[in-house]
């Protein structure tokens, strides 16, 4: 951190400092439906600036989440997974707070380096990389990447021989996870030794081990098994006479709230058990959703309406091909509420809300109770910072990147 309070450091951060930051009170008594709604009402009012869907990003929330991480996982430096939400103000804020970055492509590396992040604070954490992207990493000095195949060793050797490797292992099965990355990535137990040997043959150093337990499992105990499996890989390398590994990367999958504290307790306990006697090992994590999800709120505008008997159908200007792609990519469950706020005793209707594209699957909610709304009204979606803006498309000419983000600072 640059000095001063964490919030000051964030306000001075690249990606933030040249933009307007709107202040709002977290506990404003008039805004019982969520303090951010008051701010959104002023942004979307006739005298405001927004005419179409927009995000509000609360920087103070990131400051709080960062200190929550530091409190619960004191020894684990977070390397924020850029793919979750590459909003420059979020990247800049996290860099100012001391985070490193997990990048998966040339563009993601460029985005963080452009904010002044040092290449040593970047892990190129995509186990299967296009050659041109590896060459780019070599040219800017990003010298740490993950792998889980022998083909990747050969490629890294060819394109970036000075790069150190992190062996991505597949943790224990996590079948109830909403997003299970283990079906695509991670070396199986019997592949660990051959992959370590392949790196040694190529003259590449294996600096450590990583895993990603997936997201949305009902049980945080998966971290324990994964840390145990990582220790076994450390021991396998030692048994092969390879130089001691120095990094343990516990990946992502964290969610802010009670389950985070639960996961942290499991992790701290497993680290003490399996890595307690290896004090020189640096433990890092790759949280994405943890930092992004709850810091963003979306307002989308009603642009069309149909009344069929008692049923109400609305079209809004964002949908499954835009920010609400997070419904598909990350299991986001939309619970929109009218920005106008609740009116006591107001009648509600079973409503369908469609996105703006011509695909009939572009449907956000159905049979969902909403009060009567009109074209020009707004719907609010809370906790929509993860895999939303980052995974939308330009389908039908509705460009997700046109959705504006207003920076805010709650106190
Ligand atoms: C997506 C991803 C992350 C972030 O995952 P979250 O569930 O958002 O925390 C971390 N590491 C890797 C390698 C990833 O692919």
């Amino acid at each position: 951190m640059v000095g001063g309070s964490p919030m000051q450091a964030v306000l001075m951060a690249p990606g933030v400092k040249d933009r307007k930051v709107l202040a709002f009170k977290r506990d404003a008594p008039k805004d019982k439906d969520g303090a951010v709604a008051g701010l959104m009402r002023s942004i979307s009012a006739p005298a405001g600036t927004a005419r179409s869907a927009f995000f509000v990003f609360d920087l103070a929330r990131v400051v709080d989440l960062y200190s929550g991480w530091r409190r619960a996982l004191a020894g684990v430096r977070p390397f924020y997974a850029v793919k979750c939400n590459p909003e420059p103000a979020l990247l800049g804020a996290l860099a100012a707070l001391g985070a490193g970055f997990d990048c998966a492509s040339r563009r993601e590396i460029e985005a963080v380096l452009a904010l002044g992040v040092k290449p040593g604070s970047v892990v190129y954490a995509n186990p299967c990389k296009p050659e041109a992207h590896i060459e780019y990493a070599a040219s800017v000095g990003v010298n740490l990447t993950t792998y889980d195949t022998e083909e990747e060793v050969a490629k890294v050797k060819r394109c970036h021989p000075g790069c150190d490797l992190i062996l991505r292992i597949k943790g224990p099965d996590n079948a109830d996870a909403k997003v299970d990355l283990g079906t695509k990535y991670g070396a199986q137990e019997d592949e660990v030794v051959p992959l370590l040997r392949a790196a040694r043959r190529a003259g590449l150093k294996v600096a450590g081990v990583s895993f990603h337990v997936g997201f949305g499992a009902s049980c945080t105990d998966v971290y324990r098994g994964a840390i145990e499996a990582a220790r076994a890989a450390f021991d396998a390398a030692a048994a092969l006479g390879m130089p001691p590994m120095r990094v343990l990367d516990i990946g992502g999958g964290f969610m802010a709230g009670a389950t985070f504290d639960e996961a942290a307790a499991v992790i701290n306990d497993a680290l003490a058990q399996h890595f307690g006697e290896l004090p020189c090992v640096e433990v890092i994590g790759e949280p994405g959703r943890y930092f992004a999800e709850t810091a963003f709120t979306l307002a989308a505008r009603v642009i069309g309406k149909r009344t069929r008997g008692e049923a109400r159908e609305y079209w809004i200007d964002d949908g499954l091909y835009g920010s609400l792609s997070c419904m598909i990519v990350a299991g986001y469950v939309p619970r929109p509420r009218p920005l106008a706020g609740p009116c006591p005793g107001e009648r509600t209707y079973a409503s369908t809300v469609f996105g703006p594209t011509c695909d009939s699957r572009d449907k956000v909610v159905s049979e969902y109770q909403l009060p009567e709304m009109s074209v020009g009204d707004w719907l609010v979606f809370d906790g929509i910072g993860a895999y939303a803006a980052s995974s939308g498309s330009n389908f039908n000419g509705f460009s997700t990147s046109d959705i504006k983000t207003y920076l805010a600072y709650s106190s």
Side-chain angles (χ1 to χ4, degrees):
M1 224 174 343
V2 197
S5 77
M7 195 62 219
Q8 277 166 335
V10 162
L11 292 173
M12 294 305 297
V16 177
K17 66 174 189 292
D18 299 322
R19 288 168 64 181
K20 191 165 163 188
V21 179
L22 308 160
F24 70 98
K25 287 266 174 249
R26 257 178 230 192
D27 304 315
K30 274 199 309 202
D31 301 318
K32 285 261 161 43
D33 53 327
V36 73
L39 178 64
M40 290 186 133
R41 281 196 275 273
S42 70
I43 294 170
S44 63
T49 52
R51 295 288 166 270
S52 56
F54 64 92
F55 286 104
V56 168
F57 167 30
D58 184 4
L59 292 159
R61 179 79 191 141
V62 176
V63 172
D64 289 349
L65 287 165
Y66 199 86
S67 68
W69 178 284
R70 292 277 302 263
R71 230 182 356 260
L73 287 173
V76 184
R77 185 180 179 202
F79 280 63
Y80 171 69
V82 175
K83 80 167 186 291
C84 182
N85 187 332
E87 160 61 46
L90 175 56
L91 303 180
L94 285 168
L97 292 167
F101 295 90
D102 154 356
C103 297
S105 64
R106 173 177 180 150
R107 279 279 172 83
E108 290 188 356
I109 297 172
E110 282 172 348
V112 300
L113 296 185
L115 295 167
V117 171
K118 300 274 174 294
S121 289
V122 175
V123 177
Y124 189 176
N126 188 339
C128 188
K129 300 162 281 291
E131 292 197 350
H133 295 221
I134 307 175
E135 285 159 6
Y136 169 75
S139 74
V140 294
V142 168
N143 300 331
L144 192 58
T145 191
T146 55
Y147 82 114
D148 62 4
T149 63
E150 297 198 22
E151 305 301 325
E152 198 67 10
V153 175
K155 221 188 320 164
V156 172
K157 169 81 181 165
R158 224 167 28 245
C159 304
H160 190 359
C163 198
D164 285 354
L165 299 174
I166 291 185
L167 176 62
R168 169 102 170 245
I169 60 166
K170 181 178 173 329
D173 281 331
N174 194 5
D176 69 331
K178 279 199 222 156
V179 180
D180 180 6
L181 296 161
T183 57
K184 180 168 177 184
Y185 292 118
Q188 294 167 12
E189 210 179 324
D190 60 343
E191 294 168 339
V192 166
V193 166
L195 284 168
L196 291 171
R197 285 209 171 104
R200 181 166 61 182
R201 270 197 311 277
L204 295 177
K205 187 155 160 211
V206 183
V209 175
S210 76
F211 56 78
H212 191 304
V213 298
F215 170 77
S218 49
C219 156
T220 50
D221 228 43
V222 288
Y223 286 102
R224 186 186 305 281
I227 288 169
E228 187 180 351
R231 174 61 203 261
F234 272 66
D235 292 345
L240 290 172
M242 296 171 72
M245 297 202 274
R246 59 181 164 83
V247 186
L248 169 64
D249 177 350
I250 62 170
F254 303 95
M255 199 163 110
T259 58
F260 176 67
D261 295 323
E262 210 178 287
V266 170
I267 289 165
N268 286 326
D269 191 57
L271 286 176
Q273 187 183 345
H274 299 292
F275 283 86
E277 68 210 70
L278 299 175
C280 296
V281 172
E282 184 196 3
V283 186
I284 66 172
E286 297 171 349
R289 181 187 302 255
Y290 173 80
F291 284 116
E293 183 165 56
T294 56
F296 288 71
T297 312
L298 174 75
R301 194 169 206 188
V302 178
I303 56 167
K305 176 175 179 180
R306 177 191 282 141
T307 305
R308 276 188 177 148
E310 287 297 290
R312 299 289 180 272
E313 295 179 347
Y314 301 101
W315 280 255
I316 57 173
D317 61 354
D318 196 359
L320 249 60
Y321 291 92
S323 310
L324 288 147
S325 55
C326 58
M327 289 168 59
I328 297 164
V329 180
Y332 178 76
V333 179
R335 291 189 190 88
R337 57 192 165 93
L339 180 57
C343 286
E346 194 174 27
R347 140 143 223 226
T348 60
Y349 298 84
S351 306
T352 297
V353 176
F354 294 114
T357 72
C358 300
D359 182 351
S360 59
R361 283 166 299 186
D362 191 359
K363 191 193 289 179
V364 178
V365 289
S366 48
E367 294 287 312
Y368 184 86
Q369 292 295 321
L370 283 171
E372 182 94 47
M373 291 190 303
S374 309
V375 170
D377 286 349
W378 297 81
L379 281 175
V380 178
F381 297 83
D382 293 298
I384 191 167
Y387 306 102
S390 60
S391 65
S393 71
N394 294 330
F395 179 53
N396 251 185
F398 295 100
S399 178
T400 310
S401 54
D402 287 347
I403 299 173
K404 190 170 169 186
T405 297
Y406 291 83
L407 303 186
Y409 162 26
S410 66
S411 60

PDB file of all heavy atoms in Angstrom, residues 273-285:
ATOM      1  N   GLN A 273      -1.344 -28.545   9.231  1.00  0.00           N
ATOM      2  CA  GLN A 273      -1.125 -29.990   9.269  1.00  0.00           C
ATOM      3  C   GLN A 273      -0.138 -30.448   8.191  1.00  0.00           C
ATOM      4  O   GLN A 273       0.765 -31.232   8.464  1.00  0.00           O
ATOM      5  CB  GLN A 273      -2.471 -30.708   9.092  1.00  0.00           C
ATOM      6  CG  GLN A 273      -2.378 -32.207   9.294  1.00  0.00           C
ATOM      7  CD  GLN A 273      -3.724 -32.896   9.033  1.00  0.00           C
ATOM      8  OE1 GLN A 273      -4.766 -32.245   8.975  1.00  0.00           O
ATOM      9  NE2 GLN A 273      -3.689 -34.205   8.871  1.00  0.00           N
ATOM     10  N   HIS A 274      -0.323 -29.958   6.960  1.00  0.00           N
ATOM     11  CA  HIS A 274       0.452 -30.514   5.839  1.00  0.00           C
ATOM     12  C   HIS A 274       1.651 -29.661   5.427  1.00  0.00           C
ATOM     13  O   HIS A 274       2.553 -30.147   4.757  1.00  0.00           O
ATOM     14  CB  HIS A 274      -0.461 -30.745   4.639  1.00  0.00           C
ATOM     15  CG  HIS A 274      -1.568 -31.724   4.920  1.00  0.00           C
ATOM     16  ND1 HIS A 274      -1.328 -33.065   5.131  1.00  0.00           N
ATOM     17  CD2 HIS A 274      -2.897 -31.553   5.062  1.00  0.00           C
ATOM     18  CE1 HIS A 274      -2.481 -33.692   5.374  1.00  0.00           C
ATOM     19  NE2 HIS A 274      -3.446 -32.789   5.343  1.00  0.00           N
ATOM     20  N   PHE A 275       1.627 -28.370   5.765  1.00  0.00           N
ATOM     21  CA  PHE A 275       2.727 -27.503   5.344  1.00  0.00           C
ATOM     22  C   PHE A 275       3.415 -26.825   6.529  1.00  0.00           C
ATOM     23  O   PHE A 275       4.300 -25.998   6.339  1.00  0.00           O
ATOM     24  CB  PHE A 275       2.245 -26.465   4.323  1.00  0.00           C
ATOM     25  CG  PHE A 275       2.067 -27.065   2.943  1.00  0.00           C
ATOM     26  CD1 PHE A 275       0.880 -27.688   2.587  1.00  0.00           C
ATOM     27  CD2 PHE A 275       3.105 -27.044   2.011  1.00  0.00           C
ATOM     28  CE1 PHE A 275       0.721 -28.270   1.345  1.00  0.00           C
ATOM     29  CE2 PHE A 275       2.951 -27.626   0.765  1.00  0.00           C
ATOM     30  CZ  PHE A 275       1.765 -28.238   0.431  1.00  0.00           C
ATOM     31  N   GLY A 276       3.015 -27.208   7.760  1.00  0.00           N
ATOM     32  CA  GLY A 276       3.586 -26.592   8.949  1.00  0.00           C
ATOM     33  C   GLY A 276       5.096 -26.736   9.019  1.00  0.00           C
ATOM     34  O   GLY A 276       5.808 -25.846   9.468  1.00  0.00           O
ATOM     35  N   GLU A 277       5.588 -27.865   8.504  1.00  0.00           N
ATOM     36  CA  GLU A 277       7.040 -28.090   8.591  1.00  0.00           C
ATOM     37  C   GLU A 277       7.774 -27.578   7.360  1.00  0.00           C
ATOM     38  O   GLU A 277       8.975 -27.814   7.193  1.00  0.00           O
ATOM     39  CB  GLU A 277       7.306 -29.595   8.801  1.00  0.00           C
ATOM     40  CG  GLU A 277       6.950 -30.403   7.586  1.00  0.00           C
ATOM     41  CD  GLU A 277       6.506 -31.826   7.927  1.00  0.00           C
ATOM     42  OE1 GLU A 277       5.422 -32.015   8.498  1.00  0.00           O
ATOM     43  OE2 GLU A 277       7.276 -32.715   7.601  1.00  0.00           O
ATOM     44  N   LEU A 278       7.056 -26.884   6.463  1.00  0.00           N
ATOM     45  CA  LEU A 278       7.690 -26.281   5.289  1.00  0.00           C
ATOM     46  C   LEU A 278       7.470 -24.764   5.325  1.00  0.00           C
ATOM     47  O   LEU A 278       6.782 -24.195   4.487  1.00  0.00           O
ATOM     48  CB  LEU A 278       7.096 -26.847   3.986  1.00  0.00           C
ATOM     49  CG  LEU A 278       7.244 -28.352   3.733  1.00  0.00           C
ATOM     50  CD1 LEU A 278       6.501 -28.759   2.466  1.00  0.00           C
ATOM     51  CD2 LEU A 278       8.721 -28.727   3.620  1.00  0.00           C
ATOM     52  N   PRO A 279       8.053 -24.078   6.334  1.00  0.00           N
ATOM     53  CA  PRO A 279       7.732 -22.657   6.544  1.00  0.00           C
ATOM     54  C   PRO A 279       8.193 -21.758   5.396  1.00  0.00           C
ATOM     55  O   PRO A 279       7.744 -20.624   5.293  1.00  0.00           O
ATOM     56  CB  PRO A 279       8.471 -22.310   7.846  1.00  0.00           C
ATOM     57  CG  PRO A 279       9.549 -23.334   7.969  1.00  0.00           C
ATOM     58  CD  PRO A 279       9.046 -24.573   7.304  1.00  0.00           C
ATOM     59  N   CYS A 280       9.085 -22.243   4.532  1.00  0.00           N
ATOM     60  CA  CYS A 280       9.561 -21.380   3.453  1.00  0.00           C
ATOM     61  C   CYS A 280       8.623 -21.357   2.254  1.00  0.00           C
ATOM     62  O   CYS A 280       8.829 -20.592   1.311  1.00  0.00           O
ATOM     63  CB  CYS A 280      10.957 -21.804   2.991  1.00  0.00           C
ATOM     64  SG  CYS A 280      12.156 -21.605   4.310  1.00  0.00           S
ATOM     65  N   VAL A 281       7.602 -22.182   2.284  1.00  0.00           N
ATOM     66  CA  VAL A 281       6.673 -22.213   1.156  1.00  0.00           C
ATOM     67  C   VAL A 281       5.746 -20.995   1.226  1.00  0.00           C
ATOM     68  O   VAL A 281       5.122 -20.732   2.256  1.00  0.00           O
ATOM     69  CB  VAL A 281       5.847 -23.519   1.168  1.00  0.00           C
ATOM     70  CG1 VAL A 281       4.750 -23.472   0.124  1.00  0.00           C
ATOM     71  CG2 VAL A 281       6.760 -24.720   0.936  1.00  0.00           C
ATOM     72  N   GLU A 282       5.696 -20.240   0.114  1.00  0.00           N
ATOM     73  CA  GLU A 282       4.793 -19.093   0.032  1.00  0.00           C
ATOM     74  C   GLU A 282       3.427 -19.601  -0.408  1.00  0.00           C
ATOM     75  O   GLU A 282       3.322 -20.272  -1.429  1.00  0.00           O
ATOM     76  CB  GLU A 282       5.331 -18.073  -0.985  1.00  0.00           C
ATOM     77  CG  GLU A 282       4.493 -16.812  -1.052  1.00  0.00           C
ATOM     78  CD  GLU A 282       4.761 -15.955  -2.289  1.00  0.00           C
ATOM     79  OE1 GLU A 282       5.573 -16.354  -3.157  1.00  0.00           O
ATOM     80  OE2 GLU A 282       4.134 -14.894  -2.399  1.00  0.00           O
ATOM     81  N   VAL A 283       2.391 -19.280   0.373  1.00  0.00           N
ATOM     82  CA  VAL A 283       1.042 -19.717   0.006  1.00  0.00           C
ATOM     83  C   VAL A 283       0.300 -18.548  -0.631  1.00  0.00           C
ATOM     84  O   VAL A 283       0.269 -17.445  -0.085  1.00  0.00           O
ATOM     85  CB  VAL A 283       0.269 -20.238   1.235  1.00  0.00           C
ATOM     86  CG1 VAL A 283      -1.077 -20.822   0.796  1.00  0.00           C
ATOM     87  CG2 VAL A 283       1.085 -21.295   1.981  1.00  0.00           C
ATOM     88  N   ILE A 284      -0.242 -18.796  -1.819  1.00  0.00           N
ATOM     89  CA  ILE A 284      -1.021 -17.766  -2.500  1.00  0.00           C
ATOM     90  C   ILE A 284      -2.393 -18.348  -2.862  1.00  0.00           C
ATOM     91  O   ILE A 284      -2.591 -19.566  -2.832  1.00  0.00           O
ATOM     92  CB  ILE A 284      -0.312 -17.229  -3.770  1.00  0.00           C
ATOM     93  CG1 ILE A 284      -0.199 -18.312  -4.845  1.00  0.00           C
ATOM     94  CG2 ILE A 284       1.073 -16.693  -3.427  1.00  0.00           C
ATOM     95  CD1 ILE A 284       0.324 -17.804  -6.189  1.00  0.00           C
ATOM     96  N   GLY A 285      -3.340 -17.468  -3.192  1.00  0.00           N
ATOM     97  CA  GLY A 285      -4.662 -17.906  -3.639  1.00  0.00           C
ATOM     98  C   GLY A 285      -5.041 -17.152  -4.893  1.00  0.00           C
ATOM     99  O   GLY A 285      -4.390 -16.166  -5.257  1.00  0.00           O
TER     100      GLY A 285
END
